Amino acid sequence: MESPSYHELLRAQVDWNRTYAALAASPSSASTTALRRRLLRLSVQVFWHPFFPLFKSVS
């Protein structure tokens, strides 16, 4: 069984993909501020999530 933090990471990644798709599909004349801000928040959540070790020590 996976830990709850794995499910949080998975949800954030799915939300990131959906938000990115919505931003890409929006017309250039549309106001995309809310989508861009959401994408930025989700990017931070995914990048700094404790379940996802981005940097491994080099020893």
Side-chain angles (χ1 to χ4, degrees):
M1 182 170 186
E2 292 111 4
S3 67
S5 60
Y6 171 78
H7 294 293
E8 293 168 3
L9 175 60
L10 184 60
R11 171 56 61 195
Q13 288 178 325
V14 168
D15 289 346
W16 189 95
N17 288 337
R18 288 180 181 157
T19 303
Y20 187 89
L23 185 60
S26 63
S28 60
S29 61
S31 177
T32 57
T33 303
L35 288 172
R36 288 184 285 119
R37 287 180 180 165
R38 179 163 172 73
L39 191 63
L40 181 58
R41 278 193 307 271
L42 290 167
S43 295
V44 170
Q45 281 182 341
V46 169
F47 187 80
W48 292 107
H49 197 278
F51 189 83
F52 194 52
L54 289 173
F55 303 104
K56 296 184 180 183
S57 63
V58 179
S59 20

